[in-house]
Amino acid sequence: MPTGLGRRASELGEREDIEEASPTHGRKRSISLPAAAQAARWRDAMAREEAQASTTPVQKTPAVSRMSPDLLSVVFSYASRPDIAALARVSKPFSQAALRALYGNLDLRDVSDEHATQCIASLASRRGVATLVRNFACRTLPPPEDATSLETVTFAIAFNNMDGLRSLTLPRFDFRILCHTTFSLQRLVLLCKTISGPEFHALVGWLARHPQLAVLSLPQLVLPELPPAPAPSSPSTAVADCAPLKPAPHTPPTPDTPTHDSDDAAVPPSLSLPSLSFPAPCPPSHESPIPPAVLPHLRRVHGPVALAAALAPGRPLESAKLPIHSTIYDGLRPSAIMSALASARGTLRTLTIKPVSTKIDSRTLERVVMSAGAELGDFVETLEVHWVMDDESLYKLVLSVLGRFRALRTLRLLRDSPPPFPPSPLLEFPLPPASPPLSAGARTSISSFSSAFPPRSARSAPGGGQGSGQGQDTPFPRVHERAHLALWSKTCPTLRSVFFLSGAEWAVLPRSADEAAFGLPPFEFVGYTQV
Protein backbone atom coordinates (compact mmCIF):
# COMPACT_ATOMS: atom_id res chain seq x y z
CA MET A 1 0.00 0.00 0.00
CA PRO A 2 1.38 3.46 -0.90
CA THR A 3 2.37 5.62 2.03
CA GLY A 4 1.61 9.25 2.77
CA LEU A 5 -2.16 9.13 1.98
CA GLY A 6 -3.27 10.14 5.47
CA ARG A 7 -4.48 8.50 8.68
CA ARG A 8 -7.77 7.23 7.25
CA ALA A 9 -6.11 5.30 4.47
CA SER A 10 -3.66 3.74 6.93
CA GLU A 11 -6.46 2.41 9.17
CA LEU A 12 -8.29 0.89 6.21
CA GLY A 13 -5.12 -0.81 5.00
CA GLU A 14 -4.42 -2.43 8.39
CA ARG A 15 -7.99 -3.77 8.58
CA GLU A 16 -7.67 -5.40 5.13
CA ASP A 17 -4.45 -7.11 6.15
CA ILE A 18 -6.16 -8.55 9.23
CA GLU A 19 -9.15 -9.82 7.23
CA GLU A 20 -6.86 -11.49 4.65
CA ALA A 21 -4.85 -13.27 7.39
CA SER A 22 -7.92 -14.74 9.22
CA PRO A 23 -9.25 -18.03 7.65
CA THR A 24 -12.80 -18.46 6.57
CA HIS A 25 -14.95 -20.15 9.27
CA GLY A 26 -17.24 -22.81 7.82
CA ARG A 27 -20.09 -24.88 9.42
CA LYS A 28 -19.06 -26.92 12.46
CA ARG A 29 -19.37 -30.70 11.99
CA SER A 30 -20.93 -32.80 14.79
CA ILE A 31 -18.71 -35.39 16.51
CA SER A 32 -20.27 -38.82 17.41
CA LEU A 33 -19.51 -40.14 20.96
CA PRO A 34 -21.25 -43.54 21.40
CA ALA A 35 -19.42 -44.44 24.65
CA ALA A 36 -20.34 -41.18 26.30
CA ALA A 37 -23.98 -41.57 25.27
CA GLN A 38 -24.12 -45.11 26.65
CA ALA A 39 -22.60 -43.93 29.93
CA ALA A 40 -25.20 -41.20 30.15
CA ARG A 41 -28.01 -43.71 29.63
CA TRP A 42 -26.54 -45.94 32.36
CA ARG A 43 -26.38 -43.02 34.77
CA ASP A 44 -30.02 -42.20 34.07
CA ALA A 45 -31.10 -45.80 34.63
CA MET A 46 -29.19 -46.04 37.91
CA ALA A 47 -30.69 -42.79 39.08
CA ARG A 48 -34.19 -44.11 38.35
CA GLU A 49 -33.47 -47.37 40.22
CA GLU A 50 -32.13 -45.49 43.23
CA ALA A 51 -35.17 -43.28 43.25
CA GLN A 52 -37.47 -46.32 43.07
CA ALA A 53 -35.52 -48.15 45.78
CA SER A 54 -35.77 -45.17 48.10
CA THR A 55 -39.55 -45.26 47.84
CA THR A 56 -39.97 -49.13 48.02
CA PRO A 57 -39.14 -50.91 51.35
CA VAL A 58 -36.35 -53.56 51.09
CA GLN A 59 -37.30 -57.13 52.12
CA LYS A 60 -34.20 -58.74 53.65
CA THR A 61 -33.87 -62.55 53.58
CA PRO A 62 -33.09 -64.02 57.03
CA ALA A 63 -29.60 -65.44 57.37
CA VAL A 64 -30.96 -68.81 58.52
CA SER A 65 -32.93 -69.19 55.28
CA ARG A 66 -29.75 -68.74 53.28
CA MET A 67 -28.02 -71.66 55.02
CA SER A 68 -27.82 -74.94 53.13
CA PRO A 69 -29.81 -77.95 54.42
CA ASP A 70 -26.56 -79.90 54.86
CA LEU A 71 -25.13 -77.24 57.18
CA LEU A 72 -28.38 -77.02 59.12
CA SER A 73 -28.48 -80.79 59.57
CA VAL A 74 -24.95 -80.73 61.00
CA VAL A 75 -25.95 -78.00 63.45
CA PHE A 76 -29.15 -79.83 64.41
CA SER A 77 -27.25 -83.07 65.03
CA TYR A 78 -25.79 -81.56 68.22
CA ALA A 79 -29.26 -81.07 69.71
CA SER A 80 -31.24 -83.70 71.59
CA ARG A 81 -33.72 -85.82 69.68
CA PRO A 82 -36.81 -84.12 71.22
CA ASP A 83 -35.39 -80.73 70.21
CA ILE A 84 -34.72 -81.99 66.67
CA ALA A 85 -38.31 -83.23 66.45
CA ALA A 86 -39.51 -79.77 67.52
CA LEU A 87 -37.25 -78.09 64.93
CA ALA A 88 -38.81 -80.25 62.20
CA ARG A 89 -42.14 -78.44 62.76
CA VAL A 90 -40.76 -74.90 62.40
CA SER A 91 -40.64 -74.55 58.62
CA LYS A 92 -40.08 -76.54 55.47
CA PRO A 93 -36.30 -75.83 55.26
CA PHE A 94 -35.98 -76.70 58.94
CA SER A 95 -38.02 -79.85 58.41
CA GLN A 96 -35.70 -81.12 55.69
CA ALA A 97 -32.56 -80.48 57.77
CA ALA A 98 -34.11 -81.84 60.97
CA LEU A 99 -35.19 -85.08 59.27
CA ARG A 100 -31.62 -85.58 58.05
CA ALA A 101 -30.28 -85.12 61.58
CA LEU A 102 -33.04 -87.21 63.16
CA TYR A 103 -32.85 -90.24 60.86
CA GLY A 104 -29.22 -90.08 59.75
CA ASN A 105 -28.00 -92.01 62.78
CA LEU A 106 -30.79 -94.30 63.98
CA ASP A 107 -29.91 -96.42 67.03
CA LEU A 108 -32.87 -98.38 68.44
CA ARG A 109 -30.90 -100.39 71.00
CA ASP A 110 -31.73 -98.03 73.87
CA VAL A 111 -35.46 -97.60 73.17
CA SER A 112 -38.33 -99.80 74.21
CA ASP A 113 -39.57 -102.61 71.99
CA GLU A 114 -42.85 -100.76 71.39
CA HIS A 115 -41.11 -97.62 70.14
CA ALA A 116 -38.71 -99.67 68.03
CA THR A 117 -41.64 -101.45 66.38
CA GLN A 118 -43.34 -98.13 65.64
CA CYS A 119 -40.12 -96.75 64.12
CA ILE A 120 -39.69 -99.81 61.88
CA ALA A 121 -43.31 -99.50 60.73
CA SER A 122 -42.73 -95.83 59.93
CA LEU A 123 -39.63 -96.65 57.87
CA ALA A 124 -41.57 -99.34 56.01
CA SER A 125 -44.44 -97.00 55.09
CA ARG A 126 -42.43 -93.81 54.43
CA ARG A 127 -39.74 -94.51 51.87
CA GLY A 128 -38.68 -90.88 51.64
CA VAL A 129 -37.72 -90.92 55.32
CA ALA A 130 -36.06 -94.35 55.14
CA THR A 131 -33.68 -93.12 52.44
CA LEU A 132 -32.23 -90.65 54.95
CA VAL A 133 -30.90 -93.40 57.24
CA ARG A 134 -27.12 -93.78 57.05
CA ASN A 135 -26.35 -95.67 60.29
CA PHE A 136 -28.85 -98.17 61.71
CA ALA A 137 -28.67 -100.36 64.82
CA CYS A 138 -31.31 -102.43 66.59
CA ARG A 139 -31.40 -104.78 69.53
CA THR A 140 -33.85 -107.45 68.36
CA LEU A 141 -35.11 -109.02 65.14
CA PRO A 142 -38.21 -111.14 64.49
CA PRO A 143 -37.84 -114.76 65.64
CA PRO A 144 -36.45 -117.14 63.01
CA GLU A 145 -39.53 -119.38 63.16
CA ASP A 146 -41.88 -116.53 62.14
CA ALA A 147 -41.00 -116.58 58.46
CA THR A 148 -44.23 -114.99 57.20
CA SER A 149 -45.32 -112.89 60.16
CA LEU A 150 -46.27 -109.26 59.74
CA GLU A 151 -43.29 -108.15 61.82
CA THR A 152 -40.86 -110.02 59.55
CA VAL A 153 -42.41 -108.51 56.41
CA THR A 154 -42.30 -105.04 57.97
CA PHE A 155 -38.60 -105.40 58.77
CA ALA A 156 -37.89 -106.61 55.23
CA ILE A 157 -39.72 -103.65 53.66
CA ALA A 158 -38.00 -101.17 55.99
CA PHE A 159 -34.52 -102.48 55.08
CA ASN A 160 -35.49 -102.51 51.41
CA ASN A 161 -36.37 -98.79 51.67
CA MET A 162 -33.00 -97.82 53.20
CA ASP A 163 -31.16 -97.20 49.94
CA GLY A 164 -28.54 -94.93 51.51
CA LEU A 165 -27.57 -97.17 54.43
CA ARG A 166 -23.82 -97.32 55.07
CA SER A 167 -23.43 -98.81 58.57
CA LEU A 168 -25.55 -101.66 59.97
CA THR A 169 -25.54 -103.22 63.46
CA LEU A 170 -27.76 -106.25 64.06
CA PRO A 171 -28.06 -108.90 66.78
CA ARG A 172 -27.70 -111.66 64.17
CA PHE A 173 -27.76 -112.25 60.43
CA ASP A 174 -31.20 -113.01 58.95
CA PHE A 175 -31.13 -113.77 55.25
CA ARG A 176 -34.93 -113.61 54.93
CA ILE A 177 -34.96 -109.95 55.97
CA LEU A 178 -31.84 -108.77 54.13
CA CYS A 179 -32.11 -110.70 50.87
CA HIS A 180 -33.87 -107.91 48.93
CA THR A 181 -31.80 -104.98 50.20
CA THR A 182 -30.23 -102.63 47.67
CA PHE A 183 -27.93 -100.55 49.88
CA SER A 184 -24.13 -100.77 49.71
CA LEU A 185 -22.66 -101.18 53.18
CA GLN A 186 -19.31 -99.89 54.37
CA ARG A 187 -19.55 -101.24 57.94
CA LEU A 188 -21.30 -104.33 59.32
CA VAL A 189 -21.52 -105.40 62.99
CA LEU A 190 -23.20 -108.67 64.03
CA LEU A 191 -23.55 -109.32 67.76
CA CYS A 192 -24.46 -113.00 67.57
CA LYS A 193 -22.58 -115.57 69.65
CA THR A 194 -23.23 -118.57 67.41
CA ILE A 195 -23.97 -119.12 63.73
CA SER A 196 -24.91 -122.28 61.87
CA GLY A 197 -23.18 -123.56 58.77
CA PRO A 198 -25.98 -122.63 56.32
CA GLU A 199 -26.30 -119.18 57.91
CA PHE A 200 -22.55 -118.61 57.65
CA HIS A 201 -22.47 -119.48 53.94
CA ALA A 202 -25.56 -117.34 53.35
CA LEU A 203 -23.70 -114.48 55.05
CA VAL A 204 -20.68 -114.99 52.80
CA GLY A 205 -22.90 -114.97 49.71
CA TRP A 206 -24.67 -111.82 50.91
CA LEU A 207 -21.35 -110.06 51.65
CA ALA A 208 -20.33 -110.66 48.04
CA ARG A 209 -22.96 -108.04 47.11
CA HIS A 210 -21.19 -105.40 49.23
CA PRO A 211 -17.77 -104.86 47.64
CA GLN A 212 -17.31 -101.49 49.40
CA LEU A 213 -17.49 -103.00 52.88
CA ALA A 214 -14.40 -101.85 54.80
CA VAL A 215 -15.23 -102.86 58.41
CA LEU A 216 -16.52 -106.28 59.47
CA SER A 217 -17.07 -106.91 63.18
CA LEU A 218 -18.34 -110.04 64.92
CA PRO A 219 -16.97 -109.40 68.43
CA GLN A 220 -19.00 -112.03 70.31
CA LEU A 221 -19.00 -114.86 67.77
CA VAL A 222 -17.46 -118.13 68.95
CA LEU A 223 -16.24 -119.98 65.86
CA PRO A 224 -13.33 -122.37 66.44
CA GLU A 225 -13.17 -123.19 62.71
CA LEU A 226 -15.01 -122.17 59.59
CA PRO A 227 -17.82 -124.53 58.54
CA PRO A 228 -17.05 -126.45 55.34
CA ALA A 229 -18.84 -125.32 52.23
CA PRO A 230 -21.51 -127.76 50.97
CA ALA A 231 -20.53 -129.49 47.76
CA PRO A 232 -22.70 -128.45 44.79
CA SER A 233 -24.78 -131.19 43.21
CA SER A 234 -23.76 -130.29 39.67
CA PRO A 235 -21.63 -127.67 37.88
CA SER A 236 -24.72 -125.92 36.57
CA THR A 237 -26.14 -125.69 40.08
CA ALA A 238 -22.88 -124.26 41.39
CA VAL A 239 -22.86 -121.57 38.72
CA ALA A 240 -26.45 -120.71 39.41
CA ASP A 241 -25.81 -120.48 43.14
CA CYS A 242 -22.80 -118.20 42.63
CA ALA A 243 -24.86 -115.69 40.68
CA PRO A 244 -25.55 -112.51 42.63
CA LEU A 245 -28.92 -112.27 44.26
CA LYS A 246 -31.28 -109.96 42.42
CA PRO A 247 -33.31 -107.64 44.59
CA ALA A 248 -37.06 -107.59 44.31
CA PRO A 249 -38.70 -104.80 42.32
CA HIS A 250 -39.13 -101.66 44.33
CA THR A 251 -40.12 -98.08 43.82
CA PRO A 252 -37.50 -95.75 42.31
CA PRO A 253 -35.19 -94.15 44.86
CA THR A 254 -36.25 -90.74 46.00
CA PRO A 255 -33.91 -87.81 46.74
CA ASP A 256 -32.22 -87.72 50.12
CA THR A 257 -34.31 -84.76 51.15
CA PRO A 258 -37.99 -85.67 51.15
CA THR A 259 -40.79 -83.24 50.61
CA HIS A 260 -43.92 -83.07 52.71
CA ASP A 261 -45.83 -84.82 49.94
CA SER A 262 -43.38 -87.71 49.66
CA ASP A 263 -43.56 -88.89 53.26
CA ASP A 264 -46.09 -91.61 52.48
CA ALA A 265 -44.17 -93.14 49.64
CA ALA A 266 -45.22 -96.24 47.84
CA VAL A 267 -44.38 -99.58 49.42
CA PRO A 268 -43.13 -102.39 47.19
CA PRO A 269 -46.28 -104.12 46.00
CA SER A 270 -44.81 -107.60 46.15
CA LEU A 271 -42.00 -108.42 48.54
CA SER A 272 -41.77 -112.18 48.79
CA LEU A 273 -39.60 -113.51 51.58
CA PRO A 274 -37.27 -116.36 50.65
CA SER A 275 -37.60 -119.81 52.05
CA LEU A 276 -35.36 -121.12 54.80
CA SER A 277 -33.08 -122.91 52.30
CA PHE A 278 -30.01 -120.68 52.10
CA PRO A 279 -28.12 -120.31 48.80
CA ALA A 280 -24.75 -121.98 48.58
CA PRO A 281 -21.80 -119.62 48.12
CA CYS A 282 -19.26 -119.83 45.37
CA PRO A 283 -16.81 -122.74 45.67
CA PRO A 284 -13.91 -121.55 47.85
CA SER A 285 -10.37 -121.51 46.63
CA HIS A 286 -7.68 -123.82 47.96
CA GLU A 287 -5.97 -121.00 49.86
CA SER A 288 -9.00 -119.67 51.76
CA PRO A 289 -12.49 -120.98 52.57
CA ILE A 290 -13.86 -117.58 51.54
CA PRO A 291 -13.64 -116.64 47.84
CA PRO A 292 -11.09 -113.90 47.08
CA ALA A 293 -13.76 -111.85 45.28
CA VAL A 294 -15.68 -111.37 48.55
CA LEU A 295 -14.90 -108.10 50.40
CA PRO A 296 -12.06 -106.90 48.15
CA HIS A 297 -11.75 -103.59 50.07
CA LEU A 298 -11.87 -104.93 53.65
CA ARG A 299 -9.58 -102.92 55.94
CA ARG A 300 -10.63 -103.74 59.50
CA VAL A 301 -11.80 -107.06 60.90
CA HIS A 302 -12.90 -107.89 64.44
CA GLY A 303 -13.91 -111.47 64.90
CA PRO A 304 -12.83 -115.05 65.53
CA VAL A 305 -9.25 -115.91 64.73
CA ALA A 306 -10.34 -118.45 62.11
CA LEU A 307 -12.38 -115.82 60.26
CA ALA A 308 -9.61 -113.21 60.44
CA ALA A 309 -7.06 -115.69 59.12
CA ALA A 310 -9.37 -116.58 56.21
CA LEU A 311 -10.03 -112.92 55.29
CA ALA A 312 -6.41 -111.72 55.43
CA PRO A 313 -5.08 -113.10 52.10
CA GLY A 314 -5.68 -110.89 49.08
CA ARG A 315 -7.28 -107.98 50.96
CA PRO A 316 -5.87 -104.59 52.08
CA LEU A 317 -6.29 -105.42 55.76
CA GLU A 318 -4.99 -102.64 58.03
CA SER A 319 -6.26 -103.68 61.48
CA ALA A 320 -7.08 -107.07 63.01
CA LYS A 321 -8.69 -107.50 66.42
CA LEU A 322 -8.58 -111.11 67.61
CA PRO A 323 -10.73 -112.25 70.54
CA ILE A 324 -9.19 -115.39 72.07
CA HIS A 325 -11.93 -117.86 73.02
CA SER A 326 -9.88 -121.07 73.44
CA THR A 327 -6.50 -122.16 74.71
CA ILE A 328 -3.65 -124.07 73.09
CA TYR A 329 -4.85 -127.12 75.02
CA ASP A 330 -8.22 -126.83 73.23
CA GLY A 331 -6.65 -126.81 69.77
CA LEU A 332 -5.70 -123.16 69.26
CA ARG A 333 -2.80 -122.84 66.79
CA PRO A 334 -1.29 -119.35 67.16
CA SER A 335 1.50 -119.94 64.61
CA ALA A 336 -0.94 -120.92 61.85
CA ILE A 337 -3.18 -117.94 62.57
CA MET A 338 -0.36 -115.40 62.54
CA SER A 339 1.14 -116.98 59.44
CA ALA A 340 -2.17 -116.42 57.63
CA LEU A 341 -2.29 -112.81 58.81
CA ALA A 342 1.26 -112.32 57.51
CA SER A 343 -0.14 -112.49 53.96
CA ALA A 344 -1.36 -108.90 54.54
CA ARG A 345 2.12 -107.64 55.42
CA GLY A 346 1.83 -104.84 52.88
CA THR A 347 -1.05 -103.12 54.73
CA LEU A 348 -1.47 -104.66 58.21
CA ARG A 349 -0.23 -102.21 60.83
CA THR A 350 -2.42 -102.70 63.93
CA LEU A 351 -2.93 -105.93 65.88
CA THR A 352 -5.18 -106.35 68.92
CA ILE A 353 -5.17 -109.47 71.12
CA LYS A 354 -8.10 -109.74 73.51
CA PRO A 355 -8.82 -112.75 75.77
CA VAL A 356 -12.54 -112.99 76.42
CA SER A 357 -12.39 -114.47 79.94
CA THR A 358 -10.07 -115.38 82.77
CA LYS A 359 -10.12 -119.00 81.58
CA ILE A 360 -7.48 -118.10 79.01
CA ASP A 361 -4.21 -118.99 80.72
CA SER A 362 -0.99 -117.03 80.56
CA ARG A 363 0.76 -119.74 78.54
CA THR A 364 -1.78 -119.38 75.72
CA LEU A 365 -1.46 -115.61 75.66
CA GLU A 366 2.32 -115.88 75.70
CA ARG A 367 2.23 -118.21 72.69
CA VAL A 368 -0.15 -115.90 70.84
CA VAL A 369 1.98 -112.79 71.42
CA MET A 370 5.23 -114.60 70.61
CA SER A 371 3.78 -115.99 67.37
CA ALA A 372 2.57 -112.49 66.46
CA GLY A 373 6.08 -111.14 66.97
CA ALA A 374 7.67 -113.91 64.96
CA GLU A 375 5.29 -113.62 61.98
CA LEU A 376 4.19 -109.96 62.07
CA GLY A 377 7.02 -108.22 63.91
CA ASP A 378 8.59 -106.79 60.77
CA PHE A 379 5.62 -104.54 59.87
CA VAL A 380 3.16 -104.21 62.79
CA GLU A 381 3.42 -100.69 64.24
CA THR A 382 0.68 -100.79 66.93
CA LEU A 383 0.20 -103.67 69.35
CA GLU A 384 -2.76 -103.69 71.74
CA VAL A 385 -3.02 -106.37 74.41
CA HIS A 386 -6.03 -106.75 76.71
CA TRP A 387 -5.15 -108.45 79.97
CA VAL A 388 -7.15 -110.35 82.58
CA MET A 389 -4.44 -111.44 85.06
CA ASP A 390 -2.07 -109.56 87.36
CA ASP A 391 -0.09 -106.67 85.98
CA GLU A 392 3.44 -107.93 86.56
CA SER A 393 2.77 -111.11 84.58
CA LEU A 394 1.99 -108.99 81.55
CA TYR A 395 5.02 -106.77 82.03
CA LYS A 396 7.30 -109.79 82.16
CA LEU A 397 5.65 -111.17 79.02
CA VAL A 398 6.14 -107.87 77.20
CA LEU A 399 9.81 -107.79 78.09
CA SER A 400 10.33 -111.30 76.75
CA VAL A 401 8.57 -110.79 73.40
CA LEU A 402 9.13 -107.09 72.66
CA GLY A 403 12.37 -107.76 70.83
CA ARG A 404 10.46 -109.66 68.15
CA PHE A 405 8.54 -106.52 67.12
CA ARG A 406 11.16 -104.67 65.14
CA ALA A 407 8.81 -101.98 63.75
CA LEU A 408 6.63 -101.36 66.81
CA ARG A 409 5.92 -97.74 67.67
CA THR A 410 2.86 -97.86 69.95
CA LEU A 411 2.17 -100.35 72.74
CA ARG A 412 -1.24 -100.31 74.43
CA LEU A 413 -1.87 -102.45 77.50
CA LEU A 414 -5.52 -102.42 78.55
CA ARG A 415 -7.58 -104.06 81.24
CA ASP A 416 -11.26 -104.85 80.67
CA SER A 417 -11.93 -106.36 84.11
CA PRO A 418 -10.66 -105.70 87.65
CA PRO A 419 -7.31 -107.32 88.45
CA PRO A 420 -7.19 -110.41 90.60
CA PHE A 421 -6.54 -110.00 94.30
CA PRO A 422 -4.26 -109.44 96.06
CA PRO A 423 -2.78 -106.62 93.98
CA SER A 424 0.90 -106.43 93.23
CA PRO A 425 2.79 -104.37 95.84
CA LEU A 426 4.80 -102.64 93.10
CA LEU A 427 1.66 -100.88 91.91
CA GLU A 428 1.30 -99.17 95.28
CA PHE A 429 4.47 -97.10 95.03
CA PRO A 430 3.96 -93.94 97.17
CA LEU A 431 3.28 -90.70 95.32
CA PRO A 432 4.78 -87.31 96.26
CA PRO A 433 3.17 -85.24 99.04
CA ALA A 434 1.36 -83.06 96.46
CA SER A 435 -0.92 -85.97 95.53
CA PRO A 436 -3.41 -87.86 97.73
CA PRO A 437 -1.74 -90.77 99.60
CA LEU A 438 -2.52 -94.31 98.53
CA SER A 439 -3.89 -96.83 100.95
CA ALA A 440 -1.84 -99.95 101.50
CA GLY A 441 -4.69 -102.41 101.09
CA ALA A 442 -6.79 -101.01 98.22
CA ARG A 443 -6.02 -99.92 94.68
CA THR A 444 -6.46 -96.29 93.74
CA SER A 445 -8.64 -95.53 90.76
CA ILE A 446 -7.38 -93.74 87.71
CA SER A 447 -9.48 -90.70 88.50
CA SER A 448 -7.49 -90.11 91.68
CA PHE A 449 -4.29 -89.89 89.64
CA SER A 450 -5.75 -87.31 87.26
CA SER A 451 -5.36 -84.43 89.69
CA ALA A 452 -1.85 -85.49 90.63
CA PHE A 453 -0.67 -85.77 87.02
CA PRO A 454 -2.15 -83.04 84.81
CA PRO A 455 -2.03 -83.52 81.03
CA ARG A 456 0.81 -82.24 78.92
CA SER A 457 -1.00 -79.03 77.94
CA ALA A 458 -1.44 -78.04 81.60
CA ARG A 459 2.19 -78.45 82.52
CA SER A 460 5.20 -76.24 82.09
CA ALA A 461 6.85 -75.60 78.75
CA PRO A 462 9.74 -77.74 77.47
CA GLY A 463 12.88 -77.20 79.41
CA GLY A 464 11.07 -77.00 82.74
CA GLY A 465 11.88 -80.53 83.77
CA GLN A 466 8.95 -82.43 82.26
CA GLY A 467 9.01 -86.11 83.10
CA SER A 468 12.15 -85.81 85.18
CA GLY A 469 10.49 -85.12 88.49
CA GLN A 470 12.27 -81.75 88.84
CA GLY A 471 10.36 -78.53 89.12
CA GLN A 472 7.47 -77.38 91.24
CA ASP A 473 4.72 -77.92 88.61
CA THR A 474 5.78 -81.39 87.48
CA PRO A 475 4.78 -84.25 89.80
CA PHE A 476 6.93 -87.32 90.28
CA PRO A 477 5.73 -90.23 88.07
CA ARG A 478 5.66 -93.77 89.32
CA VAL A 479 9.10 -95.28 89.38
CA HIS A 480 8.20 -98.82 88.34
CA GLU A 481 6.78 -97.58 85.01
CA ARG A 482 10.00 -95.69 84.31
CA ALA A 483 11.94 -98.86 85.07
CA HIS A 484 9.84 -100.85 82.60
CA LEU A 485 10.27 -98.13 79.97
CA ALA A 486 14.05 -98.18 80.40
CA LEU A 487 14.14 -101.91 79.64
CA TRP A 488 11.55 -101.85 76.86
CA SER A 489 13.13 -98.96 74.98
CA LYS A 490 16.45 -100.83 74.88
CA THR A 491 14.76 -104.02 73.71
CA CYS A 492 12.68 -102.23 71.06
CA PRO A 493 14.44 -99.05 69.84
CA THR A 494 11.52 -98.05 67.59
CA LEU A 495 9.05 -97.76 70.52
CA ARG A 496 7.65 -94.22 70.88
CA SER A 497 4.42 -94.46 72.92
CA VAL A 498 3.32 -96.76 75.77
CA PHE A 499 -0.04 -97.06 77.56
CA PHE A 500 0.20 -98.92 80.86
CA LEU A 501 -2.55 -100.91 82.56
CA SER A 502 -3.03 -98.07 85.04
CA GLY A 503 -4.03 -95.72 82.21
CA ALA A 504 -0.74 -93.81 82.26
CA GLU A 505 0.55 -92.71 78.87
CA TRP A 506 4.27 -92.27 78.34
CA ALA A 507 6.19 -90.92 75.36
CA VAL A 508 9.61 -92.36 74.57
CA LEU A 509 11.85 -89.59 73.25
CA PRO A 510 14.99 -90.53 71.32
CA ARG A 511 17.87 -88.51 72.74
CA SER A 512 21.27 -87.92 71.27
CA ALA A 513 24.44 -88.25 73.32
CA ASP A 514 24.67 -84.49 73.80
CA GLU A 515 21.03 -84.23 74.94
CA ALA A 516 21.47 -87.10 77.36
CA ALA A 517 24.63 -85.49 78.75
CA PHE A 518 22.70 -82.24 79.18
CA GLY A 519 20.24 -84.08 81.42
CA LEU A 520 17.15 -84.32 79.21
CA PRO A 521 15.06 -87.34 80.26
CA PRO A 522 14.45 -90.08 77.68
CA PHE A 523 10.80 -90.49 78.76
CA GLU A 524 7.96 -88.02 79.12
CA PHE A 525 4.85 -88.59 81.17
CA VAL A 526 1.87 -87.49 79.05
CA GLY A 527 -1.04 -88.10 81.41
CA TYR A 528 -3.73 -90.55 82.43
CA THR A 529 -6.13 -91.57 79.74
CA GLN A 530 -8.93 -94.06 79.43
CA VAL A 531 -8.60 -95.69 76.02
Side-chain angles (χ1 to χ4, degrees):
M1 183 181 67
T3 59
L5 298 180
R7 181 177 179 180
R8 182 62 178 174
S10 299
E11 291 178 356
L12 291 176
E14 293 176 359
R15 184 177 300 175
E16 290 177 359
D17 295 340
I18 294 174
E19 291 179 357
E20 291 178 359
S22 61
T24 304
H25 297 281
R27 184 177 63 87
K28 294 183 179 180
R29 300 183 63 182
S30 61
I31 302 175
S32 177
L33 298 176
Q38 183 67 23
R41 287 195 294 270
W42 285 349
R43 285 194 297 270
D44 295 340
M46 292 175 61
R48 288 193 299 269
E49 291 178 359
E50 292 178 357
Q52 184 178 2
S54 60
T55 57
T56 305
V58 178
Q59 298 180 357
K60 295 183 178 180
T61 304
V64 178
S65 302
R66 297 194 299 267
M67 297 177 64
S68 65
D70 296 336
L71 181 58
L72 282 176
S73 63
V74 173
V75 175
F76 291 167
S77 64
Y78 290 94
S80 61
R81 301 191 76 85
D83 293 341
I84 297 176
L87 290 171
R89 295 189 290 269
V90 172
S91 62
K92 186 174 182 179
F94 270 42
S95 176
Q96 298 173 356
L99 287 177
R100 287 173 180 262
L102 192 63
Y103 287 94
N105 187 9
L106 196 58
D107 192 346
L108 304 181
R109 290 175 292 183
D110 298 331
V111 302
S112 62
D113 294 340
E114 181 181 359
H115 290 167
T117 303
Q118 294 176 358
C119 183
I120 294 297
S122 176
L123 295 175
S125 60
R126 303 171 64 186
R127 184 179 181 83
V129 174
T131 56
L132 298 177
V133 180
R134 295 294 178 266
N135 307 316
F136 181 83
C138 66
R139 186 178 65 255
T140 59
L141 288 178
E145 58 271 11
D146 296 339
T148 59
S149 63
L150 179 60
E151 185 181 7
T152 303
V153 175
T154 303
F155 264 87
I157 296 175
F159 281 116
N160 186 55
N161 290 342
M162 300 181 196
D163 293 331
L165 194 63
R166 294 296 177 264
S167 176
L168 179 61
T169 302
L170 295 177
R172 56 183 172 83
F173 176 75
D174 196 330
F175 180 75
R176 305 163 307 159
I177 294 177
L178 300 174
C179 63
H180 293 299
T181 55
T182 58
F183 48 73
S184 179
L185 286 181
Q186 298 177 358
R187 181 176 180 269
L188 176 64
V189 179
L190 298 177
L191 303 177
C192 55
K193 296 182 179 180
T194 59
I195 188 171
S196 63
E199 289 176 345
F200 176 80
H201 295 300
L203 173 62
V204 173
W206 185 77
L207 290 176
R209 299 161 49 187
H210 299 270
Q212 299 302 321
L213 191 72
V215 179
L216 178 62
S217 179
L218 295 91
Q220 303 178 12
L221 181 61
V222 180
L223 193 66
E225 58 181 3
L226 299 184
S233 57
S234 63
S236 60
T237 305
V239 174
D241 291 336
C242 293
L245 301 176
K246 295 182 179 180
H250 61 277
T251 55
T254 56
D256 287 346
T257 304
T259 60
H260 292 281
D261 298 335
S262 64
D263 289 343
D264 299 329
V267 179
S270 62
L271 185 62
S272 58
L273 295 178
S275 61
L276 294 179
S277 59
F278 299 102
C282 299
S285 61
H286 297 286
E287 294 80 6
S288 173
I290 301 177
V294 177
L295 305 181
H297 300 289
L298 185 66
R299 296 187 178 276
R300 296 174 57 189
V301 60
H302 179 192
V305 292
L307 180 62
L311 290 174
R315 295 171 180 87
L317 199 63
E318 297 177 356
S319 174
K321 189 171 185 178
L322 309 178
I324 308 300
H325 294 274
S326 58
T327 65
I328 56 176
Y329 309 105
D330 299 330
L332 182 66
R333 298 185 298 171
S335 299
I337 295 169
M338 299 305 170
S339 178
L341 291 176
S343 59
R345 64 175 58 247
T347 56
L348 185 60
R349 295 296 178 266
T350 302
L351 178 66
T352 302
I353 300 172
K354 181 178 181 180
V356 297
S357 67
T358 56
K359 296 180 180 180
I360 309 301
D361 60 301
S362 59
R363 178 60 177 169
T364 298
L365 294 178
E366 181 181 357
R367 287 286 302 276
V368 172
V369 178
M370 292 183 65
S371 300
E375 299 290 343
L376 314 177
D378 292 335
F379 50 88
V380 167
E381 298 178 357
T382 301
L383 177 63
E384 183 175 310
V385 180
H386 295 245
W387 198 245
V388 293
M389 288 172 280
D390 61 286
D391 297 4
E392 291 303 316
S393 298
L394 175 61
Y395 295 153
K396 293 178 182 178
L397 171 62
V398 170
L399 181 60
S400 62
V401 302
L402 201 58
R404 297 172 178 258
F405 293 89
R406 292 168 288 276
L408 190 66
R409 299 186 62 86
T410 303
L411 176 63
R412 293 193 180 99
L413 307 177
L414 306 177
R415 180 179 292 284
D416 299 328
S417 60
F421 291 96
S424 174
L426 290 179
L427 298 180
E428 306 300 334
F429 194 87
L431 293 175
S435 62
L438 296 178
S439 61
R443 299 180 59 85
T444 303
S445 61
I446 294 177
S447 59
S448 64
F449 292 114
S450 301
S451 59
F453 296 99
R456 182 188 306 186
S457 59
R459 293 181 291 154
S460 58
Q466 292 186 4
S468 61
Q470 302 174 357
Q472 185 177 0
D473 297 335
T474 304
F476 186 75
R478 294 187 296 178
V479 173
H480 79 286
E481 292 179 351
R482 294 176 56 88
H484 288 309
L485 285 173
L487 294 176
W488 295 352
S489 60
K490 293 179 180 179
T491 306
C492 181
T494 60
L495 193 62
R496 294 293 176 266
S497 179
V498 177
F499 294 81
F500 283 89
L501 292 175
S502 62
E505 179 184 357
W506 286 78
V508 182
L509 307 176
R511 300 295 190 186
S512 62
D514 296 338
E515 292 175 339
F518 186 70
L520 294 178
F523 317 116
E524 182 181 14
F525 180 77
V526 179
Y528 282 90
T529 59
Q530 294 183 358
V531 182

